[in-house]
Structure formats: structure tokens, C-alpha cells
Amino acid sequence: DQQVKQNSPSLSVQEGRISILNCDYTNSMFDYFLWYKKYPAEGPTFLISISSIKDKNEDGRFTVFLNKSAKHLSLHIVPSQPGDSAVYFCAASGGGNKLTFGTGTQLKVEL
Amino acid sequence: EPEVTQTPSHQVTQMGQEVILRCVPISNHLYFYWYRQILGQKVEFLVSFYNNEISEKSEIFDDQFSVERPDGSNFTLKIRSTKLEDSAMYFCASSGNTDTQYFGPGTRLTVL
């Protein structure tokens, strides 16, 4: 079941630069999208979300962009900080309340 | 800030034994969920619970699994007869509506 895909398993970015994490989905019924951050041995921490009626949502250093025609969303973190180093999951829901998760991208922010 | 809590943090059990994983959702939330993550794999939905009944469940959630909200604060996942392949991190989540879900820290279940 590959309804939500994160094709980059890892990303390395310098401190202060922009981190861009990407996510693609195939199910056109998805209408709500979320990004979670996860540290080892902890639960996913909610970061930011976007409804399908919008194409952008911003919260501090985090911005999520949604391109419905391409079935693509991205998370921008600017400026990136060492504390942002974690695994980032995108998740989607639609027509119900279960979340379908991607496989995650390990972000490493280097000094 | 309110948070979801889970106990125990780590549970070790023998194959065939019953386990109960416990969760305390955020107090004013109405929707409750269980997910699991097998090592190296993605987080997978197990079940959602609303108004004292299961609202949706995945194929993984077979007859060996059950959920209960025994009182006004706890939400439990029971696995009746554990198998080796049940070894995973189990995450509880809750939401106030059907949108943003907030996750607990997880219980690591190890089946020997």
C-alpha cells in the first residue's frame, strides 16, 4: 500500500538554510494532510497541517504547500536549526479519520 | 500543554500471552486511535474509536485485538494471544475532531 510516498529517505542541510521535504500521494479522496516530526523512541509530534481547500499554510518557520493537481505536498523549514534533525512523516486522511503515513524522511541539519 | 500518555513504555511478553496497552488521551478529545510501527516500517493505522464504539479498523485489527474505554480517561488495546509479529511500537492518538491527531510516546511491545 503506497498511497503516500516520501521518496527521499534522508536529507542533509546546513544550519540556517532551507529544508524542503517532499511527499506524494495517489488517493484523490485525501482531503487533509499533516506533517509530523519524530525522534527515536518517541511518538510522532504534530507540526503543521493543510486542508485540500488551501494551497499553503504557514506557522513560524514551517510552511506546507499543497499542489492538488500534482498530488504533491512539501514542507519547508526556514531557517533550519540543529534541533530540527529528526524523521519527518507526512500523513493524509480523507472520508474518514484514519491517517495514512509515508515512510518518513530523516532530516539532518549540520552546523 | 495537554498530552497523550501511554503505559507501559516497554512491555515484554511470551508468545501466546495476553497484553493490555494503556493510554490516557487528551481530556476533552472525543476520537481515539491506535497505530503501530514495526521496526523499519511505516506507521500503520489499527483502529479508531468514537462514542464508545469502533468507527474504523484496518485488516491488521483482527479478532485477536480489542479496544475499550473502561472509564472516562483510559483507552486500552488488548491483544489476546500475542504472536512474534506483533512486536512493534504501539502509538495511541486522540483528536478533538476528525482532523489533527495527537500521539502519545508509544509502548514498545516485544514478543519472545
Side-chain angles (χ1 to χ4, degrees), chain B residues 40-105:
Chain B
Q41 298 185 23
K42 62 168 78 175
V43 176
E44 301 174 287
F45 169 79
L46 292 178
V47 66
S48 59
F49 191 85
Y50 170 72
N51 200 25
N52 280 320
E53 59 183 28
I54 290 174
S55 48
E56 191 172 358
K57 61 182 181 179
S58 70
E59 292 175 356
I60 304 167
F61 194 90
D62 61 21
D63 292 345
Q64 292 301 310
F65 291 87
S66 63
V67 289
E68 193 177 32
R69 186 154 164 82
D71 54 45
S73 59
N74 290 284
F75 180 51
T76 61
L77 174 69
K78 182 194 290 186
I79 309 175
R80 286 187 186 80
S81 177
T82 49
K83 303 188 279 282
L84 294 176
E85 54 266 36
D86 293 328
S87 294
M89 283 290 291
Y90 286 80
F91 297 107
C92 174
S94 70
S95 63
N97 53 35
T98 56
D99 293 335
T100 303
Q101 297 178 23
Y102 296 88
F103 285 76

Side-chain angles (χ1 to χ4, degrees), chain A residues 1-5 32 34 36 38 41-46 49 89 93 95-103, chain B residues 31 33 35 37 41-45 48 50 55-56 58 89 91 97-106 108:
Chain A
D1 180 0
Q2 291 285 315
Q3 295 189 71
V4 179
K5 298 184 214 179
Y32 193 70
L34 309 92
Y36 287 88
K38 187 179 180 303
E42 293 186 13
T45 300
F46 170 71
S49 60
F89 291 95
S93 69
N97 47 15
K98 84 173 195 186
L99 293 180
T100 301
F101 280 81
T103 48
Chain B
Y31 298 82
Y33 314 86
Y35 292 80
Q37 185 180 28
Q41 298 185 23
K42 62 168 78 175
V43 176
E44 301 174 287
F45 169 79
S48 59
Y50 170 72
S55 48
E56 191 172 358
S58 70
M89 283 290 291
F91 297 107
N97 53 35
T98 56
D99 293 335
T100 303
Q101 297 178 23
Y102 296 88
F103 285 76
R108 177 172 300 282

